[in-house]
Amino acid sequence: MTEPSGRRERKKAATRQKIADTALRLFLERGYDAVGIRDVAAEADVAVTTVFAHFASKEALVFERDQDFEQRLTRAVTDRPPHEPLIPALHREVQALVEHCTAEGSAPVRRMIEGSPALREYEESMSLRHAQALAAALAADPHLSRSATACGATARFTIDAYAMACRADDPRATVDEIFQMIEAAWEATAP
Amino acid sequence: MTEPSGRRERKKAATRQKIADTALRLFLERGYDAVGIRDVAAEADVAVTTVFAHFASKEALVFERDQDFEQRLTRAVTDRPPHEPLIPALHREVQALVEHCTAEGSAPVRRMIEGSPALREYEESMSLRHAQALAAALAADPHLSRSATACGATARFTIDAYAMACRADDPRATVDEIFQMIEAAWEATAP
DNA sequence: GAAATTAACCGTAACCGTTAGGGTTTCACA
DNA sequence: TGTGAAACCCTAACGGTTACGGTTAATTTC
């Protein structure tokens, strides 16, 4: 994304990446619960305090790239061509995000998440933050003129669609079906 | 609700209640983060292990009565008169639940929950469980014949409505507005 | 280019929620 | 009345997390 110029920033980013990579590797090798923070730190050759300087919690090590997620959702709203209807834009973006998270390579990570209550809970609370960011983006769109409640509800419904589709047998069909519902719900709030 | 006959069960229930009452009192007096499990145990005059024999976690001490919540929602579906339409029944029940949680006496507790990330996260993951129970109840209703996806989405939307309304300025109006959306979403799934 | 500042990182020790282990009391029921 | 189980107790530990004080290396300032 952004290539930092200074050596300091580069080293910091490298440390962060090394920690994240090491953690994910160990988690997949031995299981999330069987790997302690002290193990991750030792294997990545950093101090425990350094791990927590880069990641807010053990769970955050698994969801390293969640900022991307939030940005992609909000940008699907803010960067869409003017007068393009909202719901299809959201629909398309959620479809893409779900594809990404149900891709071949993501299966072991998904299994790990589903197997750990702590990780599921963390993911859920991440989703809530994403919904709030999306709600703010909707409320800020001058073309939409809907109530804050309608924006908030639509944002949560959208996140619900993503969360359910990631766990569904047929993710694509699930997204499509729920977005039919969201479309209807959104229309029902037209001024 | 259920009055246990045996002395043992009565004593157990009394212990549980004493722990919950003591915990809530201390939390409100000194703040959730400022009170440790060891404090609660000492003040309730029980061992730390006894606290965890009755409550799965520190957060669970605050949400003592969440089983009621789940049962009320699912019963609003299963116990409604035959052929009564689903959404109004849900709407009514959510309205009642929101009223309960935004009542005068609940304000300090609500403030405490909103002030603690751990409690917010816990509440959110509770909600997810409730949504799953509700989804199961919807899927099991013989009159509804909707897809599992539609039932799951409707359940999550309903929980979303509750969660948003509890934090809204005008809870009643929020519930009403979101249920207009849910009604439309539900109709869009008619076979 | 030396000096001062700052930011990343280090190691240790502790805090706190939570659990394991193993023991004692009290109730229920045959 | 004796026996099994359930509730409870205490202690010690584990694992995520943070406070603290110190070291090094990059950046900025003069």
Side-chain angles (χ1 to χ4, degrees):
Chain A
M1 201 92 20
T2 56
E3 289 299 327
S5 45
R7 180 175 311 172
R8 203 174 227 170
E9 291 179 68
R10 259 183 297 116
K11 282 194 176 181
K12 182 178 179 180
T15 301
R16 182 193 158 90
Q17 200 56 46
K18 182 169 186 185
I19 293 169
D21 292 347
T22 304
L24 193 57
R25 178 170 59 79
L26 291 185
F27 290 160
L28 290 176
E29 278 175 13
R30 308 183 200 164
Y32 180 75
D33 289 327
V35 177
I37 287 287
R38 291 160 179 93
D39 300 328
V40 173
E43 184 87 5
D45 198 29
V46 296
V48 169
T49 46
T50 301
V51 174
F52 284 104
H54 287 274
F55 299 93
S57 67
K58 185 186 180 186
E59 296 92 57
L61 286 166
V62 175
F63 298 96
E64 198 215 341
R65 313 221 45 88
D66 79 299
Q67 284 212 355
D68 286 5
F69 186 99
E70 188 164 315
Q71 288 194 355
R72 285 188 59 172
L73 261 186
T74 56
R75 282 191 184 156
V77 174
T78 58
D79 294 5
R80 76 188 194 282
H83 303 99
E84 196 198 339
L86 171 71
I87 303 297
L90 275 179
H91 186 164
R92 228 183 313 115
E93 190 62 34
V94 169
Q95 200 63 268
L97 289 168
V98 167
E99 231 155 66
H100 189 271
C101 116
T102 58
E104 246 347 274
S106 306
V109 178
R110 254 284 38 95
R111 249 197 313 281
M112 179 177 72
I113 294 169
E114 296 304 322
S116 157
L119 287 176
R120 280 204 307 270
E121 185 163 343
Y122 184 87
E123 190 179 25
E124 198 60 27
S125 89
M126 254 180 34
S127 295
L128 194 59
R129 287 206 325 276
H130 297 160
Q132 280 160 349
L134 180 55
L138 293 181
D141 188 311
H143 298 292
L144 295 178
S145 68
R146 299 294 217 282
S147 73
T149 300
C151 292
T154 304
R156 285 184 83 125
F157 293 177
T158 300
I159 299 294
D160 288 340
Y162 172 79
M164 289 185 61
C166 282
R167 296 164 173 80
D169 290 334
D170 185 345
R172 288 197 66 86
T174 301
V175 172
D176 290 341
E177 186 173 354
I178 301 183
F179 263 90
Q180 279 192 23
M181 300 174 70
I182 295 178
E183 172 88 56
W186 179 252
E187 289 308 320
T189 70
Chain B
M1 208 132 321
T2 54
E3 290 298 330
S5 45
R7 178 175 311 169
R8 198 170 231 170
E9 291 179 66
R10 259 184 298 115
K11 283 194 175 180
K12 181 178 179 180
T15 301
R16 181 194 159 91
Q17 200 57 45
K18 183 170 187 185
I19 294 170
D21 292 347
T22 305
L24 195 55
R25 178 169 60 78
L26 292 185
F27 290 160
L28 290 175
E29 279 174 12
R30 308 182 201 164
Y32 180 74
D33 289 327
V35 177
I37 287 286
R38 291 164 177 89
D39 299 328
V40 173
E43 184 86 5
D45 197 29
V46 297
V48 170
T49 45
T50 301
V51 174
F52 285 105
H54 287 274
F55 299 92
S57 67
K58 185 185 180 186
E59 296 92 54
L61 286 166
V62 174
F63 299 96
E64 198 214 340
R65 313 220 45 88
D66 79 300
Q67 283 213 356
D68 286 4
F69 186 98
E70 189 164 314
Q71 288 194 356
R72 286 188 57 173
L73 261 186
T74 56
R75 283 191 184 156
V77 174
T78 57
D79 293 4
R80 75 187 196 283
H83 302 101
E84 195 197 340
L86 171 71
I87 303 297
L90 276 179
H91 187 166
R92 228 182 313 114
E93 190 62 34
V94 169
Q95 200 65 269
L97 289 168
V98 167
E99 231 155 67
H100 190 269
C101 116
T102 58
E104 251 342 279
S106 307
V109 178
R110 256 280 42 93
R111 250 196 314 281
M112 178 176 75
I113 294 170
E114 296 303 322
S116 157
L119 287 175
R120 282 204 306 270
E121 186 162 342
Y122 184 87
E123 189 179 26
E124 198 60 27
S125 88
M126 254 179 35
S127 295
L128 194 58
R129 285 207 324 275
H130 297 160
Q132 280 160 351
L134 180 55
L138 294 180
D141 189 312
H143 298 290
L144 296 178
S145 68
R146 300 295 218 281
S147 74
T149 300
C151 292
T154 303
R156 286 184 83 125
F157 294 177
T158 300
I159 300 293
D160 287 340
Y162 172 79
M164 289 185 61
C166 283
R167 295 163 175 81
D169 291 333
D170 185 345
R172 288 196 65 86
T174 302
V175 172
D176 290 341
E177 187 174 353
I178 301 183
F179 262 91
Q180 279 191 24
M181 301 174 69
I182 295 177
E183 173 87 55
W186 178 253
E187 288 307 320
T189 70

